[in-house]
Amino acid sequence: MSTEGLTTIDIVPTNPSQKSFLEDAVLPKHERLVEGKLENGFTYIILPNSNPPGRFEAHLEVLSGSANELERQQGMAHLIEHVAYMGSPKRQLISGTGSRTNAYTDFHHTVFFAACPTQTPDQFWKKPMLPMALDALLDVMTTNIDEDRLEKERAAVLSEASMVNKIEYRVECQILSSLHSENRISSRFPIGKEHLIKSWTKQDLQLYHQTHYRPDNVILFVVGDVDVSTTVETIKQKFGPLVPRIDAAKLLKESGEFPEVSMRSVSRHFPPVTHRWSCSDEDIKMNDLLPAALIKPVEVVNFEKGLVAAPVSTSFTAGPAPVSNKDTPAPIVTPSPPSVTSATTQLSTTEAVEEVPTTAALSAPLVASELSVVEPTLDRKLSPLFPSSKVFAHELLQSFSFHLFAKRPIEPVVTESSLKRELMRRMTLSALQIRLNVQQRNQPLFTFIDFNQLNWPREGCAVCSLDLTTDIQSWRRAVILAVREIRRLGLFGLTDSEISRYKQAILAEAAQNAAQSEQRNNEEVLNELMDSEACGHTFMQAQDRYLAAEKALTSITRDDVQAIARELCEHLSHMQPEKGVKPVALIACAPLIDRNGTNFSVSEAEIASAVEEAMQEPLEPLEDSIVPSTLIPKDLLQEKVKITRPQWMPLDGKALKDKQAAQNLGIVQRKLTNGIKVNMLSLNTEPQRAVLRLYVPGGRMRESRKQPGAVLVGSRTIQEGGAFLDVTREDVELFCIDHLLMVDITATEEALIFDFQTVTTPGPSHEGSTETPLTGLEAVMQVAHIILTDLKYEQDAFDRARQGFHEQFDSIVKGLESACVESLTYSLTGGDARFLCPNHKQIDSLTLDDVKNAIRSQLVPANIEVSISGDISIKDLEVLVLQYFGTVPVPKTSAAEAPTVPPPSVINVKTLGRAQQLGVYLPDSDERAMGYLAGPSTNRWGVFANGETLSEVIKRKAGTVGKKDERREHPLFGLVAMLILQEVANRRLFSVVREERQLTYDASFQIQGHESILGGWYLVSVTSSPSQVQDAIRACKEALSSLKDAFGVMGDSVQSAKRTILNRFKSDSVSNLFWVDNMSGSQVDCIPFKSLRSITDFESVVSGITVQDIQLLVDVLQFDEDSMTSCVGITAPEPPPGMK
């Protein structure tokens, strides 16, 4: 195994008297996992997986990323990814076959992948697709740089850099730079540096490719419905002839830019860096995690200056990362965001229209950043325990965030004891998160808080992070409270009930995973496999992992858990700076002005002072708490049944017409005496899982014009609350944890939606209780019943909800994309506040009674539809539904006061045409631009604002009015036609705006249609630069207009779009969420076209759509300048002419 010229060290136990994890019972590998290596060093890993049948994924991982670049190559890994991926002729051959291909770059690797059917589609000559997919990946390994493709992708990468360079991204990069200030990760963001990207020749890129794209520096993962022996032979045939073309190890070693011993020496998956750890040398040695040379590295190379820095084992390097240099990475909000993803403009998860390497999520912005960096001022004599705090301030930030980090070596889970330690870490972190959530309710300081430790092979370490967001007025109290609770956990550990609770929760989760192991799709399995391989974990079968977890959890003692709690929190609870036990970074991010326009500032000394105050606070152990075994006791439930006498009523409305479709699908539709409508499906494709949705038509469209935002804030108030009768929010939250219950509450323009996900297995037994534990699904129904009947609308929950929307409004007006979309929406809807985010004045004017009444007026039984899909019999479902939903009382109102479903709402879209363009300007040191086009369209079901359907309009244009045309008269026709147009339009935008004109990295077309509101609009967005944004908008107009030409809509585009949509439909249809989505609204009269036929007839309607249908649809939508509104958004130091 090559390590590119870097020393490889075998890790051996350093303390023979200490039982090492290397001496434990080894965890069993997955029995179907096949690993091998060809003579040229090419490694492959194959895992057969039958879900979904007839598909596979192949991922080629090149074990070099931006951290492996030389000084003059910064950004080359990402650019090569673009060139190799987009320049592959073999990849283009699998386009249109129902395949999805893509690529992405990160610090430690570049990955190319193809997700394909095992056979070519019916209209092709049938042949296996595995060889075709591997040919596309082989193209990547044998790339010869083409000048034309290089220039196209150079332009795309520069455009991508502008697209991602948002304030959140810049802050994130600054945080990451501080976290890794001692190594090259602090400045080697994958997007690179502008002047370097512009300067490279194709020879430069070819040299990088030859250096890193070697057979001994890659791993091929194949997961799916494949035959192992055939796959191995195909791999040998395709990749066996590959040979290295240069002596890469010698070249890299002679560069002098890499440490002789680095984390790359530990694993070839890690970047070539060294770290300053937050744990003692003895702890690392005791667990045999690192060789001695990396426990306390002798020196760290300063990669920016090419000098040798002081030993990293001394003090934390004070001072901020530079932010004024044009070539310096400017700014994130978590230390480890997603990798540089080469996403696509496709809307499908199964086939890209034309897949484009996208979104360098960690890439350094290529232009100067004006982020204010507050220099360290704290007297270190007063604060010897901490590294220098850093404060980053900017006017586009809207709230205060604080981030405190520790770094530890990644511990591979390969033995029983290492698994036991990992499970105890999860128990401890879960307990602390709930404690913090409870504190947040008692003292509403945070809008977000998280304490976690995650393995990041991309950085070669495990990062323990405290991340919180709060209002600027509350920052000090929030920091003190968070640090105090971490210290408390480190000092006193978990309570007995917490240990019991999280043992049971982890075991239940392991049992769930074991039950669902055969239903996990290729993407899920492959992501876990790649992560396990990178971290050095044993990849196990789910059943084996469950048995190992059960054994480990049984052996866990209180002392074991307390030791892990101390280990996780010791950088705050048991500091020993002389031994390295302390945080590695403290970072605060703050706005320069508050929402009232008042200047705001916070110093490094103030940040350190708040942490020191929390460190000095005397603490007591947390008192144990008892979690209720049920929220609704049996006697209370029986009393409710006795009073309401729930029964089934005869079906009416759409359900009467859907009886045959319901029977074909196995769906049971019911209606309760109180008016609640119910859809139920017993589905075992997700064993032991269930999803329940309450769908309540109305939403913001029933919001009073005098109280804009009342429904939004009211729904968030429910999410933030949870108390009822004499039961506290904490009790309800712990009850939900015990039953693996997740709740998400959303208010849209047209509905209130309550989503619950849970298990169908019993929850934990409670000491002293003789009752059978509730299943997760019954627990869900108890929570849903409480929301509809006895929920308390609490003032503190309302305050947190208002604070959340204050921050949301700030983020909208300070974000270029969101501000443009908001401006467009205002213009298109005539300023209808129900489609807009409420502003500060509107939010502040709301009272608790306002939002409570806005929600309660809609939560009446006759207006509620319940949809349930899960691994439970219909008979058992009916019993639970009768008990918990049948007992929801009908409000005592007169007939005149009884709420009714309002008539359909309408969006009469108003466009500005070519005479006027909307403009949005935001002051910022970095220049960016976005362009938008919008025009009138239908709603999701193909209905225009005047009530006319797309079917009727197209029949008129086709001259078939009065003639029988069942295909176009089908209720699904409008929805499906719009979906296909969306795919076709995105392909055309890619071809014209990106490939031909090279004006953008990303352009997209979307239909913004609701289900019950008549009318809608389409939206085109394009990323650009201020100098090119008008050209980009013009190119988008021309791309859409070209669809109106005689041969504007091509047959291959329509067929490809249909395959994309059908593949997505088939892959989604195994999930409970898919069925709940499609059942919701099927009994609701305000969505007349939605019924169960939408499911049974979907594939046939898609297959029946013709090129002429889409061409006529294009004619209907017109796509001319007079029917559009355009908008330009620009960030720059000074406003462009005509903008304020």
Side-chain angles (χ1 to χ4, degrees), residues 820-867:
C820 287
V821 171
E822 193 82 345
S823 177
L824 259 176
T825 303
Y826 184 93
S827 176
L828 295 170
T829 64
D832 191 330
R834 296 171 300 179
F835 292 92
L836 304 169
C837 180
N839 59 37
H840 296 311
K841 182 178 179 181
Q842 291 166 338
I843 295 167
D844 286 335
S845 69
L846 294 172
T847 67
L848 179 59
D849 283 341
D850 291 337
V851 304
K852 179 170 64 175
N853 292 334
I855 298 296
R856 282 185 170 177
S857 66
Q858 299 186 42
L859 293 184
V860 293
N863 197 35
I864 296 171
E865 182 188 42
V866 179
S867 297

Coordinates of all heavy atoms in Angstrom, one line a residue, residues 820-867:
C820 N -33.7 37.7 -2.7 CA -34.2 37.8 -4.1 C -35.5 37.0 -4.2 O -36.5 37.5 -4.8 CB -33.2 37.2 -5.1 SG -31.8 38.2 -5.3
V821 N -35.6 35.8 -3.7 CA -36.8 35.0 -3.7 C -38.0 35.8 -3.0 O -39.1 35.8 -3.5 CB -36.6 33.6 -3.2 CG1 -38.0 32.9 -3.1 CG2 -35.7 32.9 -4.1
E822 N -37.7 36.4 -1.9 CA -38.7 37.1 -1.1 C -39.2 38.3 -1.9 O -40.4 38.6 -2.0 CB -38.1 37.5 0.2 CG -39.2 38.0 1.2 CD -39.9 36.9 2.0 OE1 -39.8 35.7 1.5 OE2 -40.6 37.2 3.0
S823 N -38.3 39.0 -2.6 CA -38.6 40.1 -3.4 C -39.5 39.7 -4.6 O -40.5 40.4 -4.9 CB -37.4 40.9 -3.9 OG -37.7 41.9 -4.7
L824 N -39.1 38.6 -5.2 CA -39.9 38.1 -6.3 C -41.3 37.7 -5.8 O -42.3 38.0 -6.5 CB -39.2 36.9 -6.9 CG -38.4 37.1 -8.2 CD1 -37.7 35.8 -8.5 CD2 -39.3 37.5 -9.3
T825 N -41.4 37.0 -4.7 CA -42.7 36.5 -4.2 C -43.6 37.7 -3.9 O -44.8 37.7 -4.2 CB -42.5 35.7 -2.9 OG1 -41.6 34.6 -3.2 CG2 -43.8 35.1 -2.4
Y826 N -43.0 38.7 -3.3 CA -43.8 39.9 -3.0 C -44.4 40.5 -4.3 O -45.5 40.9 -4.3 CB -42.9 41.0 -2.3 CG -43.6 42.2 -1.8 CD1 -44.1 42.3 -0.5 CD2 -43.8 43.3 -2.7 CE1 -44.8 43.5 -0.1 CE2 -44.5 44.4 -2.3 CZ -45.0 44.5 -1.0 OH -45.6 45.6 -0.6
S827 N -43.5 40.6 -5.3 CA -44.0 41.2 -6.6 C -45.1 40.3 -7.2 O -46.1 40.8 -7.7 CB -42.8 41.4 -7.5 OG -43.2 41.8 -8.8
L828 N -44.8 39.0 -7.3 CA -45.7 38.1 -8.0 C -47.1 38.0 -7.3 O -48.1 37.8 -8.0 CB -45.1 36.7 -8.1 CG -43.8 36.6 -8.9 CD1 -43.2 35.2 -8.7 CD2 -44.1 36.8 -10.4
T829 N -47.1 38.1 -6.0 CA -48.4 37.9 -5.2 C -49.0 39.2 -4.8 O -50.0 39.2 -4.1 CB -48.1 37.1 -3.9 OG1 -47.2 37.8 -3.1 CG2 -47.5 35.7 -4.3
G830 N -48.5 40.3 -5.3 CA -49.0 41.6 -4.9 C -48.8 41.9 -3.5 O -49.7 42.6 -2.9
G831 N -47.8 41.4 -2.9 CA -47.5 41.7 -1.5 C -48.3 40.9 -0.5 O -48.4 41.3 0.7
D832 N -48.9 39.8 -0.9 CA -49.7 39.0 0.0 C -48.8 38.5 1.1 O -48.0 37.6 0.9 CB -50.4 37.8 -0.8 CG -51.4 37.1 0.0 OD1 -51.3 37.1 1.3 OD2 -52.4 36.6 -0.6
A833 N -49.1 38.9 2.4 CA -48.2 38.6 3.5 C -48.2 37.1 3.8 O -47.3 36.6 4.5 CB -48.6 39.4 4.7
R834 N -49.3 36.4 3.4 CA -49.3 35.0 3.7 C -48.3 34.1 2.9 O -48.1 33.0 3.3 CB -50.8 34.5 3.4 CG -51.8 35.1 4.3 CD -53.2 34.8 3.8 NE -53.5 35.2 2.4 CZ -54.6 35.0 1.8 NH1 -55.6 34.4 2.4 NH2 -54.8 35.4 0.5
F835 N -47.7 34.7 1.9 CA -46.6 34.0 1.2 C -45.2 34.5 1.6 O -44.3 34.0 1.1 CB -46.8 34.2 -0.3 CG -48.0 33.5 -0.9 CD1 -49.2 34.2 -0.9 CD2 -48.0 32.2 -1.3 CE1 -50.4 33.6 -1.4 CE2 -49.1 31.6 -1.8 CZ -50.3 32.3 -1.9
L836 N -45.2 35.4 2.6 CA -43.9 36.0 2.9 C -43.6 35.7 4.4 O -44.5 35.4 5.2 CB -44.0 37.5 2.8 CG -44.4 38.0 1.4 CD1 -44.7 39.5 1.4 CD2 -43.3 37.7 0.4
C837 N -42.3 35.8 4.7 CA -41.9 35.6 6.1 C -42.3 36.9 6.9 O -42.1 38.0 6.4 CB -40.4 35.5 6.2 SG -39.8 35.2 7.9
P838 N -42.9 36.7 8.1 CA -43.3 37.9 8.8 C -42.1 38.7 9.3 O -41.0 38.1 9.6 CB -44.1 37.3 10.0 CG -43.6 35.9 10.1 CD -43.3 35.5 8.7
N839 N -42.2 40.0 9.3 CA -41.1 40.9 9.7 C -41.1 41.1 11.2 O -42.0 40.6 11.9 CB -41.1 42.2 8.9 CG -42.4 43.0 9.1 OD1 -42.9 43.0 10.2 ND2 -42.9 43.7 8.1
H840 N -40.1 41.8 11.7 CA -40.0 42.0 13.1 C -41.2 42.6 13.7 O -41.7 42.2 14.8 CB -38.7 42.8 13.4 CG -37.4 42.2 13.0 ND1 -37.1 40.9 13.3 CD2 -36.4 42.7 12.3 CE1 -35.9 40.6 12.9 NE2 -35.5 41.7 12.2
K841 N -41.7 43.7 13.1 CA -42.9 44.4 13.6 C -44.1 43.4 13.7 O -44.8 43.4 14.7 CB -43.2 45.6 12.8 CG -44.4 46.4 13.3 CD -44.6 47.6 12.4 CE -45.8 48.5 12.9 NZ -46.0 49.7 12.1
Q842 N -44.3 42.7 12.7 CA -45.4 41.7 12.7 C -45.3 40.6 13.7 O -46.2 40.3 14.4 CB -45.5 41.1 11.3 CG -46.0 42.1 10.2 CD -45.8 41.5 8.8 OE1 -45.0 40.6 8.6 NE2 -46.5 42.1 7.8
I843 N -44.0 40.2 13.9 CA -43.8 39.1 14.9 C -44.0 39.7 16.3 O -44.7 39.0 17.1 CB -42.4 38.6 14.8 CG1 -42.2 37.9 13.4 CG2 -42.0 37.6 15.9 CD1 -40.7 37.6 13.1
D844 N -43.5 40.9 16.6 CA -43.6 41.5 17.9 C -45.1 41.8 18.2 O -45.5 41.9 19.4 CB -42.8 42.7 18.0 CG -41.3 42.4 18.1 OD1 -41.0 41.3 18.6 OD2 -40.4 43.2 17.7
S845 N -45.9 42.0 17.2 CA -47.3 42.4 17.5 C -48.2 41.2 17.9 O -49.3 41.4 18.4 CB -47.9 43.1 16.2 OG -48.0 42.2 15.2
L846 N -47.7 40.0 17.7 CA -48.5 38.8 18.0 C -48.4 38.6 19.5 O -47.4 38.8 20.2 CB -47.9 37.6 17.2 CG -48.0 37.6 15.7 CD1 -47.3 36.5 15.1 CD2 -49.5 37.6 15.3
T847 N -49.5 38.0 20.0 CA -49.6 37.6 21.4 C -49.8 36.1 21.4 O -50.1 35.5 20.4 CB -50.8 38.3 22.1 OG1 -52.0 37.8 21.5 CG2 -50.7 39.8 22.0
L848 N -49.6 35.5 22.6 CA -49.8 34.1 22.8 C -51.3 33.7 22.4 O -51.5 32.7 21.7 CB -49.5 33.7 24.2 CG -49.7 32.2 24.5 CD1 -48.8 31.3 23.6 CD2 -49.4 31.9 26.0
D849 N -52.2 34.5 22.8 CA -53.6 34.2 22.4 C -53.9 34.3 20.9 O -54.6 33.5 20.4 CB -54.6 35.2 23.1 CG -54.8 34.9 24.6 OD1 -54.5 33.7 25.0 OD2 -55.2 35.8 25.4
D850 N -53.2 35.2 20.3 CA -53.3 35.3 18.8 C -52.9 34.0 18.1 O -53.7 33.5 17.3 CB -52.5 36.4 18.2 CG -52.9 37.8 18.6 OD1 -54.1 38.0 19.0 OD2 -52.1 38.7 18.6
V851 N -51.8 33.5 18.5 CA -51.3 32.3 17.8 C -52.0 31.1 18.2 O -52.3 30.2 17.4 CB -49.7 32.1 18.0 CG1 -49.0 33.4 17.5 CG2 -49.4 31.8 19.4
K852 N -52.4 31.0 19.5 CA -53.2 29.9 20.0 C -54.5 29.8 19.2 O -54.9 28.7 18.8 CB -53.4 30.0 21.5 CG -54.3 28.9 22.1 CD -54.2 28.9 23.6 CE -54.9 30.2 24.1 NZ -55.0 30.1 25.6
N853 N -55.2 30.9 19.1 CA -56.5 30.9 18.4 C -56.3 30.6 16.9 O -57.2 30.0 16.3 CB -57.2 32.3 18.6 CG -57.6 32.6 20.0 OD1 -57.8 31.6 20.8 ND2 -57.7 33.8 20.4
A854 N -55.2 31.1 16.3 CA -55.0 30.8 14.9 C -54.8 29.3 14.6 O -55.3 28.8 13.6 CB -53.7 31.6 14.4
I855 N -54.2 28.6 15.5 CA -54.0 27.2 15.4 C -55.3 26.4 15.8 O -55.8 25.6 15.0 CB -52.8 26.7 16.2 CG1 -51.5 27.4 15.8 CG2 -52.7 25.2 16.2 CD1 -51.1 27.0 14.4
R856 N -55.9 26.8 16.9 CA -57.0 26.0 17.4 C -58.2 26.1 16.5 O -59.0 25.2 16.4 CB -57.4 26.5 18.8 CG -56.5 25.9 19.9 CD -57.0 26.4 21.3 NE -56.3 25.6 22.3 CZ -56.5 25.9 23.6 NH1 -57.4 26.8 24.0 NH2 -55.8 25.2 24.5
S857 N -58.3 27.3 15.8 CA -59.5 27.4 14.9 C -59.4 26.4 13.7 O -60.4 26.2 13.1 CB -59.5 28.9 14.3 OG -58.4 29.1 13.5
Q858 N -58.2 25.9 13.4 CA -58.1 24.9 12.4 C -58.1 23.5 12.9 O -58.4 22.6 12.1 CB -56.8 25.2 11.6 CG -56.8 26.6 10.9 CD -55.5 26.8 10.0 OE1 -55.2 25.9 9.3 NE2 -54.9 28.0 10.1
L859 N -57.7 23.3 14.1 CA -57.6 21.9 14.7 C -59.0 21.4 15.1 O -59.2 21.1 16.3 CB -56.6 21.9 15.8 CG -55.1 22.1 15.4 CD1 -54.2 21.9 16.6 CD2 -54.7 21.2 14.3
V860 N -59.9 21.4 14.2 CA -61.2 20.8 14.5 C -61.4 19.5 13.8 O -60.9 19.3 12.7 CB -62.4 21.8 14.2 CG1 -62.3 23.0 15.0 CG2 -62.3 22.2 12.7
P861 N -62.0 18.5 14.4 CA -62.0 17.1 13.8 C -62.5 17.1 12.3 O -61.9 16.4 11.5 CB -63.0 16.4 14.7 CG -62.9 17.1 16.0 CD -62.7 18.5 15.7
A862 N -63.5 17.8 12.0 CA -64.0 17.8 10.6 C -63.0 18.3 9.6 O -63.1 18.0 8.4 CB -65.3 18.6 10.5
N863 N -62.0 19.0 10.0 CA -61.0 19.5 9.1 C -59.7 18.7 9.2 O -58.7 19.1 8.6 CB -60.7 21.0 9.5 CG -60.0 21.8 8.5 OD1 -60.2 21.6 7.3 ND2 -59.1 22.7 8.9
I864 N -59.7 17.5 9.8 CA -58.4 16.8 10.0 C -58.5 15.5 9.2 O -59.5 14.8 9.2 CB -58.2 16.5 11.5 CG1 -58.0 17.8 12.3 CG2 -57.0 15.6 11.7 CD1 -58.0 17.6 13.8
E865 N -57.3 15.2 8.6 CA -57.1 13.9 8.0 C -55.9 13.2 8.6 O -54.9 13.9 8.7 CB -57.0 14.1 6.4 CG -56.8 12.7 5.7 CD -56.5 13.0 4.2 OE1 -55.6 13.8 4.0 OE2 -57.0 12.3 3.4
V866 N -56.0 11.9 8.9 CA -54.9 11.2 9.5 C -54.5 10.1 8.5 O -55.3 9.4 8.0 CB -55.3 10.5 10.8 CG1 -54.2 9.7 11.4 CG2 -55.8 11.5 11.8
S867 N -53.2 10.0 8.2 CA -52.7 9.0 7.3 C -51.6 8.2 8.1 O -50.7 8.9 8.7 CB -52.1 9.6 6.0 OG -53.2 10.2 5.3

